[in-house]
Amino acid sequence: MSRFFTTGSDSESESSLSGEELVTKPVGGNYGKQPLLLSEDEEDTKRVVRSAKDKRFEELTNLIRTIRNAMKIRDVTKCLEEFELLGKAYGKAKSIVDKEGVPRFYIRILADLEDYLNELWEDKEGKKKMNKNNAKALSTLRQKIRKYNRDFESHITSYKQNPEQSADEDAEKNEEDSEGSSDEDEDEDGVSAAAFLKKKSEAPSGESRKFLKKMEDEDEDSEDSEDDEDWDTGSTSSDSDSEEEEGKQTALASRFLKKAPTTEEDKKAAEKKREDKAKKKHDRKSKRLDEEEEDNEGGEWERVRGGVPLVKEKPKMFAKGTEITHAVVIKKLNEILQARGKKGTDRAAQIELLQLLVQIASENNLGEGVIVKIKFNIIASLYDYNPNLATYMKPEMWQKCLDCINELMDILFANPNIFVGENILEESENLQNVDQPLRVRGCILTLVERMDEEFTKIMQNTDPHSQEYVEHLKDEAQVCAIIERVQRYLEEKGTTEEICRIYLRRILHTYYKFDYKAHQRQLTPPEGSSKSEQDQAENEGEDSAVLMERLCKYIYAKDRTDRIRTCAILCHIYHHALHSRWYQARDLMLMSHLQDNIQHADPPVQILYNRTMVQLGICAFRQGLTKDAHNALLDIQSSGRAKELLGQGLLLRSLQERNQEQEKVERRRQVPFHLHINLELLECVYLVSAMLLEIPYMAAHESDARRRMISKQFHHQLRVGERQPLLGPPESMREHVVAASKAMKMGDWKTCHSFIINEKMNGKVWDLFPEADKVRTMLVRKIQEESLRTYLFTYSSVYDSISMETLSDMFELDLPTVHSIISKMIINEELMASLDQPTQTVVMHRTEPTAQQNLALQLAEKLGSLVENNERVFDHKQGTYGGYFRDQKDGYRKNEGYMRRGGYRQQQSQTAY
């Protein structure tokens, strides 16, 4: 042996040379295998010789096992990956398969996989729950398996007609019965020798002998080839090994080969064996069910989550004989708080431990400072009970929270020497030294703000049409009482910023409520009662108007953040509008200039702004100011998204544009049901206001081609009404307004009045106003006045003159009102007429153009606009506007002098520029 291969001592090299034969390198190629020196351990290890068939079939069965495991856990993506690898492995074993035939276990996995995929495909509910990757893989794998199985269609058909139970199938059944033993688990998917060696045996003896002979020859060949490569084994050992392995293979084959029953007795015995096996399996199953029923009688079972159980011992309270001091209690408090937020922590048990700690502290007279600190942590733990932001507190937790905050406020009011604040560090806390003021870290304002948010969340997640909502709404009195107590506390000890924040909370619970007591006192002052009773009635509570004025003015003066001040202004305007103080509300809105930059505010503030504008428009309508009402409601109603803009729900079409997270955020912004504004009332107010403005305008400009629309939504409702083939009595609110508009167009105010004010409309809309009779009276007056104007516009060309007394009787208006309306129309040049005072007559001037003249005027206007457009295009092509510049009023104006379209000559400017 060459000296370059030797390692170690000379003695080792000599012994190796004596026991080895030198292998000569073949001439002319580098492809010969070079012998390597192996260690003694490696020499002692016995090598297992396997045929090519065994190696390929083992690779296939390993992949099949992985596929079956993936099928059990419904991992279709894994099935797809392994199926592709299985196809490649089968391609590598193609030469062996051509010689031996398609293995039975391969046909079986193809058939089972196709059936499994068809079951998944038909399970519609299961497909919906699949994730995206699995659903995509299911579709792909289903197409691939159907295409792939066409080559094995005859094999799969014969397998399904006569599915033989091979040894590996029996192993699977045994495994299921024994609930998964480890030995049978390895043979689960056909890894056993039977899967490798079983062959469909038609003739019992001859073909099995041929098969065994062939297998022995292959083993001998493979062993000979391995012996040629192995340099460390002698000829005698290889012969004995091959003989042993041949014997083993033969015994193994004879053990696992499936023998076909030859006689009727064998067939009967096999059938009886199968029946006995099925009976045993049925007995085991029934026995297991009986055991489960017995266990269930003992008590209810609870479903537990999978995974390793997290056994966490509750932190024990103090051992016997421990002296309870401030340091010990604080240490125990910190020990409990350390488990807060960790996985497996029982939040309810943590709250109970903190409450128990409060009792221990009070029993041992450790002072109010320790109790206040523990109370802060109890309230914080109650808020953390629901880790999800969207979920709301349960009723029992909510009641605990309210009680705990009230107890905390009682302690703070009873002990004025206790100072709490979030700026107090834990190191500088004073919990036991009574000689100095007690200092505790914690913010009572933050707890109250979180309490208010939790109350809003509870109201958002409760069905508004249930009794449960009413029960929860009763808790608002407790919430408001707590806010008032915190307000009194902070007015004494809080900073300006904290006072502004608590004032805003008080405003948000006051601004939307109608003050019926103040309204009654305003309408009917108690004249018959004595002065003391009057004083007592006045001192019962502060008027909401006075309260809002005081709180808002403090915020206007002291607040440094724009958001709190903006919210306070909007709530103040809303409250003024709700109580029909139109001019104060309008002036405050105009002075605040909120409409200029409200688009930069956050969504909750924008929702509050929209609610305020709507309430402002309704207030203007109640005052009879239809134009102001229409202008205030125009933006909200013209968008078609009033429900969404007011935070009262999400539209279906907008839900499709959002993903799930955005939808959750939007739902958290919705205002509770008791703050909602009636959308049908809102739309009715808008349409009636539009009717009172639009119908007289349409009558005045009937022949005007360039007539503009005041309200597009109102015109849309009119077009919808005109398109109806059959006109019946109106049913909905919109149909009532459309029918009233048609009657007003004809000057028939009584019919218009009957459509707008009737029992159905009263129940839907008008009875919802605080002063419903006053609103109805105003509405009748408005309908009479606008019907009179519409009548004069429509029929002025028919009359030479008309008596004002006749008009007064026709529209049931007093004479001064008729005189005032006609005078305004003449002054505004809406009506070409004059008043004859002695006879109280309106004399028409007949200056209205005829139909032919109207058409000529329209043609002249269109031609003029055409010429102007042509000039503009021509100048634009030349790259200049010919020394003209655009003026908003007079069209194109020249620099030095110009001719206006009306024929007026402008004097040349004398000033030199």
Side-chain angles (χ1 to χ4, degrees), residues 499-505 507 549-561 563-569:
I499 294 173
C500 289
R501 283 165 62 188
I502 197 64
Y503 276 6
L504 180 63
R505 289 288 160 184
I507 288 167
E549 190 82 14
R550 179 170 62 83
L551 299 179
C552 291
K553 282 187 175 179
Y554 184 89
I555 291 176
Y556 301 157
K558 305 286 186 179
D559 181 57
R560 296 178 184 176
T561 62
R563 190 182 186 281
I564 293 180
R565 186 167 59 251
T566 302
C567 291
I569 292 173

Side-chain angles (χ1 to χ4, degrees), residues 384-400:
D384 291 345
Y385 187 77
N386 291 323
N388 192 355
L389 188 65
T391 54
Y392 61 99
M393 292 178 76
K394 294 178 181 178
E396 57 271 14
M397 289 293 173
W398 169 246
Q399 197 58 47
K400 274 184 187 178

Side-chain angles (χ1 to χ4, degrees), residues 538-670:
E538 288 175 0
N539 293 330
E540 277 182 5
E542 191 178 15
D543 281 355
S544 62
V546 179
L547 175 66
M548 289 288 292
E549 190 82 14
R550 179 170 62 83
L551 299 179
C552 291
K553 282 187 175 179
Y554 184 89
I555 291 176
Y556 301 157
K558 305 286 186 179
D559 181 57
R560 296 178 184 176
T561 62
D562 289 336
R563 190 182 186 281
I564 293 180
R565 186 167 59 251
T566 302
C567 291
I569 292 173
L570 290 172
C571 293
H572 203 183
I573 296 168
Y574 190 104
H575 193 263
H576 279 315
L578 187 64
H579 292 84
S580 301
R581 296 188 287 270
W582 157 252
Y583 292 102
Q584 292 96 313
R586 183 200 63 183
D587 295 344
L588 191 55
M589 175 62 80
L590 294 176
M591 286 189 296
S592 64
H593 295 285
L594 288 176
Q595 58 272 24
D596 298 335
N597 55 9
I598 192 64
Q599 67 271 14
H600 302 301
D602 54 340
V605 177
Q606 290 184 9
I607 289 172
L608 182 57
Y609 174 81
N610 293 336
R611 286 166 50 79
T612 304
M613 288 302 297
V614 163
Q615 198 61 246
L616 207 56
I618 295 173
C619 174
F621 180 80
R622 288 201 301 268
Q623 301 298 313
L625 306 169
T626 53
K627 192 169 185 179
D628 292 319
H630 180 270
N631 292 337
L633 300 177
L634 180 61
D635 289 338
I636 300 293
Q637 286 298 120
S638 61
S639 66
R641 299 186 302 128
K643 184 178 183 180
E644 191 173 351
L645 293 175
L646 295 174
Q648 297 181 187
L650 299 178
L651 300 178
L652 289 176
R653 65 170 180 267
S654 62
L655 285 176
Q656 300 170 359
E657 301 170 2
R658 298 185 177 92
N659 57 32
Q660 199 170 4
E661 289 300 320
Q662 289 174 333
E663 184 186 343
K664 287 180 181 177
V665 172
E666 287 289 336
R667 291 197 182 280
R668 285 201 292 270
R669 290 179 187 147
Q670 304 301 302

